[in-house]
Amino acid sequence: MQYLGLSQTEMAEQFAKWNNEELDSFLIEITRDILKYKDDKGFLLERIRDTAGQKGTGKWTAIAALQYGVPVTLIGEAVFSRCLSALKDERVHASRQLKGPSIKPKVENLQKFLNHIKHALYCAKIVSYAQGFMLMREAAKENKWNLNYGGIALMWRGGCIIRSVFLGNIKDAYTRNPKLSNLLLDDFFKKAIDVGQDSWRQVVAHAFLWGVPVPALSTALAFYDGYRTEKL
């Protein structure tokens, strides 16, 4: 969005709009609040060092995914992105040595492309939750647990960092089919992906051509295309 020329205020307004639509969630909400936060020196975000630490939960989840043989690619990519962000000094040096793309496509219709971004975020979010439930399903099978997946989705709505309005849709999916093998196969989520996937592909393709890293969006799309492919 910054590459598109939006100011922090404009980005905050966009996230506020999305938070009143299907992307309504804690993470969209706090992104809105962080983008618009100002003190007597101006916007705070621009003064925050772009390196991320880790508490370990993402790493533990990625390790569990490898142990159970489940492709939880988004959380894995998120962990690696944090690791990459921590290489601040190396990135500063590399930025002066390594070139990006010489030809960058232009966006003719800003509002249309912002809508593409909204759909891309929503589709990737669906894949992320689908992968999480895949991991729980495999762990339950191996450990002989009897998990109430719909109940787990509702539990996450109560003050959890991954709180999202569509956790109710996940509950509905498992109510319709308690033996659902993957959220992507539920009619509600299939339709959401059908509606948004062209936008999703536009965003990832433009990001690649601009040289803008979008690791979560791109790995989610790669997983989706792999999962829907009969013969890899």
Side-chain angles (χ1 to χ4, degrees), residues 23 31 49-50 54 57 73 107 124 143 147 152 168 188 194 219 226:
L23 281 173
T31 301
R49 183 176 171 86
D50 60 331
Q54 298 191 55
T57 50
T73 58
V107 169
N143 294 287
L147 298 182
I152 290 169
F188 175 86
D194 286 345
T219 198

Side-chain angles (χ1 to χ4, degrees), residues 2 14 17 34 37 48 51 60 65 89 91 101 114 135 144 148 152 158 171 224 232:
Q2 191 175 45
Q14 197 63 49
K17 178 176 180 291
I34 292 168
Y37 184 81
I48 296 176
T51 62
W60 300 332
D89 293 340
R91 288 190 291 112
L114 289 172
L135 179 57
K144 296 181 172 55
N148 181 344
I152 290 169
K171 166 65 168 65
Y224 175 75
L232 291 172

Side-chain angles (χ1 to χ4, degrees), residues 208-221:
F208 282 174
L209 291 170
W210 289 332
V212 175
V214 285
L217 294 180
S218 58
T219 198
L221 183 55

